[in-house]
Amino acid sequence: MRELGYSQNKERDVVNRSIGKFIKSYCKDNYNTDWNYFITLTYKYPKIKESWCNNNVKKLVKEWMRYDKSVDGIMVNELENNMVGIHHHIILKIDLMKSIVESVTNKIWRNNGIVDVREYDSSYEFCYCDYMTKHIGKTNNNSYHFLFNFKE
């Protein structure tokens, strides 16, 4: 029996590393500051329809905007390696304390699944931006989106 999973593609991996570098520098280039948070959002039950998942993130972005109109960020939809469900990684610029970001995010997401909010630290050896872009393009559901597209 053949296992489901991602195949290797060196050209795509090079592109994904370039996207990671772009995301890492985006906030500094546009706002002269680093990102504030790296957030992972998972679902209790497998969800595979990207448009439905994106609508959930759109609700979250609208809620964040109630607290900070200048919120910005980039979201990556990542299909699990077993190909049964999407989860999201978000790199976020928002002028709120971590406890408020966690509270607001959990309030909106609690019926969907689990929230993990981490403070962004560009000096940290593990690069969140590289991590969140590792599977872009490996399936149609592995995509990235600018959060300003979810503000409307």
Side-chain angles (χ1 to χ4, degrees), residues 7 19 24-26 77 97 108 111-112 115 128 145-146:
S7 62
I19 294 168
K24 184 174 184 175
S25 66
Y26 176 87
N77 291 329
M97 294 183 331
I108 297 299
N111 293 327
N112 292 322
V115 171
Y128 292 122
H145 306 270
F146 291 88

Side-chain angles (χ1 to χ4, degrees), residues 62-82:
K62 286 183 177 188
E63 188 66 19
W64 284 334
M65 286 183 61
R66 290 183 59 220
Y67 296 85
D68 179 5
K69 296 279 187 221
S70 69
V71 65
D72 198 2
I74 299 171
M75 176 200 57
V76 173
N77 291 329
E78 187 174 298
L79 189 62
E80 308 283 350
N81 200 31
N82 58 12

Side-chain angles (χ1 to χ4, degrees), residues 26-27 31 33-39 57 59-74 90-105 108 117-120 147 151:
Y26 176 87
C27 198
Y31 301 104
T33 186
D34 259 330
W35 296 104
N36 301 107
Y37 301 102
F38 175 77
I39 299 172
V57 174
K59 292 174 194 169
L60 180 56
V61 170
K62 286 183 177 188
E63 188 66 19
W64 284 334
M65 286 183 61
R66 290 183 59 220
Y67 296 85
D68 179 5
K69 296 279 187 221
S70 69
V71 65
D72 198 2
I74 299 171
I90 298 173
I91 197 86
L92 186 66
K93 184 197 82 63
I94 192 168
D95 190 23
L96 294 174
M97 294 183 331
K98 183 180 180 191
S99 60
I100 296 171
V101 173
E102 287 175 320
S103 176
V104 170
T105 305
I108 297 299
V117 177
R118 298 173 188 226
E119 290 186 24
Y120 184 83
L147 294 187
K151 290 182 177 182

